[in-house]
Amino acid sequence: MSPLILAFVLVPFVIEAIWVFWPALQGFWLALTSWDGLSAPRFVGFGNFSDMVSDPIFRTALKNTAIWLVLFGGLSVVGGFGMALLLQKERRGVGIYRAALFTPVVFSLVVTALIWRVFYQPDGLVDTVFRSVGLGNFVRPWLADPDTALYAVIVPALWRQIGYVMVLYLAGLKAVDPALYEAAKVDGASAWQRTRYVTLPQLKGVNSVVLSVIVIDSLRSFDIVWSMTKGGPYHSSELLSTYMYSTAFQSTQLGYASALAVIIFLLALAVILGYLIRAFREEA
Amino acid sequence: MTLAADRRTFLKGLGLLGAATLVPGCATSAQSPGNSGGSTGGELALQSNLSSEQAKAAMEKLVAAYNKTGGSQVKLNTVAAEIFRTQLPTYLTSTNPPDVYTWYAGSVANSYAKKDLLLDVTSVWDSMGNYSKAMQTLSTSSAGQKIFVPTSYYWWGMFYRKSNFAKWGVTPPKTWDEFVAVCKTIQSKGIPPIGIGLGDTPWVASAWFDYLNIRINGAPFHRKLLAGEGDFTDPKVKAVFTKWREVLPYFDPKGKSFPFQEATSALLGGKTGMFLIGTFFADSAPKDALDDIDFFQFPIIDPAVPVAEEAPTDGYFASKKAKDPDAVKKFLTWLATAEAQNIYVQSSSGTAIPANPDGKSADTALVKKGKAMIENAAEITQFFNRDSSDALQPTADAALTKFLDKPDQIDQILKDWQAAAQKVFKA
């Protein structure tokens, strides 16, 4: 084999090993220690993991991450797919609507968070809208109320993600052969039947992409929660990712934070492997 | 240059890059890798967290003044306060750390000294004879070495607008009962009496805990509790919250949604009556409104408890691994002079008081009053995170904001707080 080709394989591998694999392995090792970032780490075995069982903040974070996965993930698929169906036909001005829905994806999530915080602030846009439609008793400190904080953060996250998912589905819909619809029409299939028996099966490939994107995006959701609530008030909107960050860099319990990172990794792996295994089985 | 040579240079570069990352060792050793802005050559690196506009400009002036005196040149790296705080352990444990740091005196500095990360600056103190006893104690590690050079301090108080107090017909209260009466009067005018800003800055609530605790149980109990020698489930701690509950109805309900900067605007705009805050709030206040601002001491609750006040002290410490300790000490000696501290105080927002007794604080009535209050205090505390640790602060944030929201659950809140605190002390 030519040394050039070998270099093209080995150099990226070495870089990957140094910057990805080695720190990841270190993370697994750190999860078994108690470390404050200053002294040498102390080996505690699975102590961090058994601490998690009795940690109420961890339980809240785990529950919130599950809520996030279902609501953020589920609604962005439903919303994105709905919007794609609505906007797939070429009509006059449809490009404007597509662009409008995709625009939030262009903004950084931190900027999005800043704008939405202004909406949510006391007497802000959200309160004003509720008051003007006679729902004044719904008004509350949206981001400072433990009952609403998490859901108030999901809304801007969805506002952004729906546009992204829509574009993926639009691309998928474009790839469906129009002859299939023609044939279905000739056979007397209704609009609903065409969607159910032609569109959906044709989108299988896109679905797997969307699902991976959604699961990964849900589990790594951090920026929008951190910039809007920092996991507060009193941990009520904490996700596993924000809890990991605050444990590591605010409470400087780096061992415990690494253990949380391991849990996040295992969850992501379980969801994605679970899906892949199912997908392969269906193909077989 | 030929293509082959290009490729060779590229690969050589990559190889070097790879080797460079292997050399500093792994993150699990006490020495973490990375270039954290250490000094090069004869230059001293000064890492500063004073990133607000006025404070940053004042620091630039200070460094420029020192660089004119000759000797080692100082390079200022200003880092956003929050990033500075999380990065500080990494700076101090890196192989090539910055030399000098802006930071806090007391327990925070001492925790780094215990890990043998700070430069012994006892010799600097030999030329700082006239500093107060309190400043000396605050700058001494548990091993008896001087590790910190204080340069300024500020005070916490209950701030209000003079014109509004006159309009509402209230006068600054001295005791708790008078305070409650003032709250009642202001509330009867339709104004939330007590402002607070917990949105992005939940740590502001710690000032209430600190003050109630030092007023009810005294400063020594407070310090022990924060050092992990007490228990948050102690009935004495619960007494703090029982007292606090008496004034909960007077807190601005909107205060939990916005940060202290907006709570400042609410106070200045007459939308709240009073605000327990440190003088740094003046950084985000318009100058003309400041002339109408006054403060009163946090009300006395138990006259038998020696009066303590919160007066966080700022200053500098240096890395033990500084390449030129003599140059660092020379710089610190200069920073301790009245001349240097005056440069900083005059160029910043003007409410900080120089630590050097010969330093000139701003000549306003407000600053004179603040300085007198601190000088008359029997005890000085720093602030929750400075008397305990940055790691303990998030546990207080969660407990106190929850208490403000759900005071009925106080027993459970204190139990959770103790559990969270124990985890921090154990780590």
Side-chain angles (χ1 to χ4, degrees):
Chain A
M1 199 188 289
S2 113
L4 183 63
I5 293 173
L6 205 64
F8 270 108
V9 175
L10 281 183
V11 171
F13 177 76
V14 168
I15 293 174
E16 186 86 351
I18 292 169
W19 271 294
V20 179
F21 301 147
W22 178 238
L25 287 175
Q26 273 197 335
F28 283 110
W29 152 245
L30 281 175
L32 305 176
T33 67
S34 172
W35 186 37
D36 65 357
L38 286 172
S39 325
R42 189 162 45 84
F43 185 76
V44 293
F46 287 95
N48 288 325
F49 294 95
S50 59
D51 280 354
M52 265 178 221
V53 179
S54 59
D55 179 356
I57 308 169
F58 171 73
R59 282 203 297 268
T60 312
L62 192 65
K63 191 186 85 195
N64 286 346
T65 304
I67 294 177
W68 188 274
L69 196 64
V70 171
L71 278 188
F72 168 82
L75 291 178
S76 56
V77 170
V78 173
F81 184 56
M83 288 300 155
L85 281 183
L86 213 65
L87 299 176
Q88 64 163 324
K89 273 222 184 93
E90 296 299 339
R91 298 188 199 97
R92 189 204 294 257
V94 76
I96 296 173
Y97 287 98
R98 284 182 199 154
L101 276 167
F102 190 71
T103 308
V105 183
V106 179
F107 300 136
S108 117
L109 262 180
V110 177
V111 176
T112 306
L114 284 175
I115 297 166
W116 279 80
R117 258 170 52 160
V118 177
F119 291 170
Y120 282 130
Q121 75 184 12
D123 305 320
L125 185 73
V126 175
D127 284 0
T128 315
V129 168
F130 270 99
R131 283 209 184 90
S132 64
V133 296
L135 293 171
N137 49 347
F138 273 93
V139 167
R140 56 184 67 230
W142 298 98
L143 294 173
D145 185 324
D147 297 331
T148 54
L150 182 69
Y151 305 99
V153 179
I154 289 184
V155 174
L158 269 178
W159 174 73
R160 179 180 191 273
Q161 193 77 1
I162 282 178
Y164 184 38
V165 175
M166 175 193 76
V167 168
L168 294 177
Y169 275 120
L170 275 177
L173 288 171
K174 282 263 182 293
V176 179
D177 187 352
L180 291 173
Y181 290 115
E182 289 300 320
K185 242 186 196 167
V186 170
D187 289 346
S190 66
W192 160 246
Q193 284 169 321
R194 287 200 297 273
T195 309
R196 171 70 188 83
Y197 296 105
V198 179
T199 313
L200 284 180
Q202 289 291 314
L203 285 177
K204 238 183 181 173
V206 183
N207 277 337
S208 66
V209 173
V210 169
L211 191 103
S212 321
V213 166
I214 289 296
V215 171
I216 292 166
D217 277 357
S218 300
L219 285 168
R220 68 175 190 146
S221 284
F222 167 79
D223 31 17
I224 193 139
V225 183
W226 192 257
S227 23
M228 286 182 85
T229 64
K230 291 203 162 56
Y234 41 94
H235 305 298
S236 57
S237 61
E238 202 84 75
L239 297 182
L240 284 174
S241 56
T242 57
Y243 188 41
M244 176 187 78
Y245 180 83
S246 63
T247 312
F249 299 109
Q250 293 195 307
S251 312
T252 54
Q253 300 167 36
L254 288 128
Y256 194 64
S258 302
L260 288 168
V262 168
I263 296 289
I264 296 175
F265 171 76
L266 291 178
L267 276 178
L269 202 67
V271 175
I272 290 180
L273 276 185
Y275 176 78
L276 283 181
I277 289 170
R278 244 194 53 204
F280 278 126
R281 243 189 231 146
E282 275 173 18
E283 264 171 37
Chain B
M1 199 183 275
T2 65
L3 189 70
D6 257 352
R7 201 182 72 223
R8 254 199 309 278
T9 329
F10 174 70
L11 290 177
K12 209 165 93 187
L14 272 184
L16 279 176
L17 211 61
T21 55
L22 286 171
V23 172
C26 63
T28 40
S29 74
Q31 311 252 316
S32 28
N35 173 13
S36 36
S39 59
T40 47
E43 214 172 44
L44 290 184
L46 165 60
Q47 205 81 351
S48 162
N49 73 324
L50 301 166
S51 53
S52 84
E53 214 174 299
Q54 278 176 324
K56 190 180 165 204
M59 285 302 287
E60 279 162 2
K61 267 195 190 158
L62 189 71
V63 167
Y66 181 73
N67 285 344
K68 267 188 222 143
T69 64
S72 290
Q73 295 290 297
V74 174
K75 192 175 145 266
L76 175 70
N77 301 323
T78 304
V79 181
E82 180 65 16
I83 296 170
F84 184 99
R85 192 180 59 69
T86 54
Q87 288 290 313
L88 188 54
T90 316
Y91 296 149
L92 284 170
T93 51
S94 68
T95 40
N96 180 25
D99 304 282
V100 183
Y101 307 78
T102 59
W103 207 235
Y104 312 141
S107 157
V108 170
N110 188 38
S111 67
Y112 291 116
K114 270 191 194 154
K115 314 258 184 204
D116 201 24
L117 294 168
L118 300 188
L119 187 69
D120 179 355
V121 294
T122 310
S123 63
V124 174
W125 272 84
D126 293 342
S127 65
M128 293 166 52
N130 53 353
Y131 271 67
S132 71
K133 186 90 188 17
M135 289 286 180
Q136 291 194 33
T137 317
L138 206 55
S139 307
T140 309
S141 72
S142 49
Q145 291 170 336
K146 296 279 194 303
I147 42 155
F148 190 83
V149 174
T151 50
S152 65
Y153 63 91
Y154 60 90
W155 74 98
W156 283 68
M158 199 69 89
F159 287 85
Y160 62 91
R161 274 196 96 132
K162 289 184 270 191
S163 58
N164 282 341
F165 262 38
K167 195 169 75 190
W168 299 325
V170 290
T171 50
K174 285 203 159 53
T175 65
W176 186 253
D177 292 340
E178 286 172 21
F179 176 61
V180 175
V182 166
C183 288
K184 275 189 182 140
T185 312
I186 298 177
Q187 197 170 47
S188 71
K189 315 277 175 194
I191 305 285
I194 306 171
I196 196 157
L198 305 175
D200 247 3
T201 51
W203 49 269
V204 172
S206 300
W208 277 88
F209 176 75
D210 285 357
Y211 258 118
L212 285 163
N213 202 18
I214 58 183
R215 287 286 184 269
I216 295 170
N217 298 315
F221 174 84
H222 183 63
R223 282 197 206 98
K224 272 191 186 153
L225 178 71
L226 301 198
E229 292 164 34
D231 211 308
F232 286 100
T233 49
D234 188 323
K236 284 173 112 176
V237 177
K238 199 181 164 187
V240 166
F241 290 91
T242 314
K243 204 75 193 163
W244 196 345
R245 247 187 120 160
E246 291 175 17
V247 292
L248 274 194
Y250 305 118
F251 275 76
D252 177 16
K254 285 178 186 164
K256 51 183 169 179
S257 302
F258 48 60
F260 82 83
Q261 290 90 342
E262 271 180 63
T264 303
S265 310
L267 178 81
L268 297 177
K271 287 179 188 151
T272 55
M274 306 170 269
F275 187 18
L276 177 63
I277 192 76
T279 57
F280 54 81
F281 83 101
D283 285 338
S284 51
K287 280 266 181 268
D288 56 327
L290 281 179
D291 298 333
D292 191 30
I293 287 286
D294 201 354
F295 81 99
F296 61 86
Q297 176 187 40
F298 193 89
I300 303 296
I301 295 170
D302 180 354
V305 176
V307 176
E309 302 295 346
E310 295 241 87
T313 305
D314 295 343
Y316 301 88
F317 59 47
S319 164
K320 176 139 195 173
K321 280 184 252 161
K323 274 179 297 300
D324 188 350
D326 291 331
V328 168
K329 286 177 190 167
K330 214 176 130 201
F331 178 47
L332 290 173
T333 307
W334 183 79
L335 288 170
T337 61
E339 177 206 349
Q341 293 178 14
N342 288 347
I343 294 176
Y344 179 77
V345 168
Q346 280 157 19
S347 326
S348 64
S349 69
T351 45
I353 301 170
N356 190 319
D358 299 330
K360 254 182 68 135
S361 52
D363 213 12
T364 61
L366 190 75
V367 171
K368 277 187 190 156
K369 195 172 156 186
K371 204 172 164 189
M373 181 178 82
I374 300 306
E375 279 166 0
N376 291 331
E379 296 249 21
I380 299 289
T381 53
Q382 293 294 298
F383 190 78
F384 190 92
N385 66 322
R386 299 184 184 207
D387 285 324
S388 56
S389 67
D390 285 333
L392 201 65
Q393 184 68 53
T395 68
D397 294 348
L400 302 181
T401 45
K402 188 163 186 184
F403 164 73
L404 288 169
D405 217 22
K406 303 190 157 132
D408 290 334
Q409 298 179 13
I410 185 60
D411 289 319
Q412 186 58 42
I413 291 170
L414 290 178
K415 242 172 78 187
D416 291 346
W417 192 3
Q418 178 58 26
Q422 235 160 10
K423 245 170 54 191
V424 172
F425 288 121
K426 211 178 67 186

